Amino acid sequence: METLEFVIYPDGRVQEKVTGIVGASCEEVTKAIEAELGVVLNQETTSEYFAQTQNQSQAATAQVNFSNW
C-alpha cells in the first residue's frame, strides 16, 4: 500500500514520509507537493528507495525437429 504521511509542527515545518513506493518513483510522487510546501531542508532515503522493482517475464522457446523419413 502506498502512503504519504505528513507531520506539521507548530513552527511551520512539515515532515513528509513516503512508504510503499519502490525505487526513485517516490520523488516523482512528491515533487509537486514539495514545490508547494517550500524549501526542502533535509531528505533521507529508505531501503525502499534502493530496492529494485521486480519484473517477471517468461520467455518460451519452441524447438521444432523435422524428420527426413
Side-chain angles (χ1 to χ4, degrees):
M1 176 192 288
E2 299 173 351
T3 60
L4 286 110
E5 178 182 338
F6 296 92
V7 177
I8 303 171
Y9 293 96
D11 63 359
R13 290 179 297 126
V14 178
Q15 179 183 8
E16 173 186 37
K17 183 177 180 182
V18 180
T19 56
I21 300 177
V22 178
S25 61
C26 63
E27 292 175 344
E28 295 172 18
V29 171
T30 61
K31 185 176 183 177
I33 297 168
E34 290 171 356
E36 293 296 321
L37 289 174
V39 178
V40 175
L41 298 177
N42 186 21
Q43 186 175 30
E44 296 178 18
T45 53
T46 64
S47 59
E48 289 179 327
Y49 179 85
F50 297 103
Q52 296 181 3
T53 57
Q54 294 181 359
N55 294 327
Q56 295 181 354
S57 62
Q58 295 178 346
T61 57
Q63 182 178 1
V64 180
N65 293 327
F66 291 100
S67 176
N68 291 333
W69 286 50

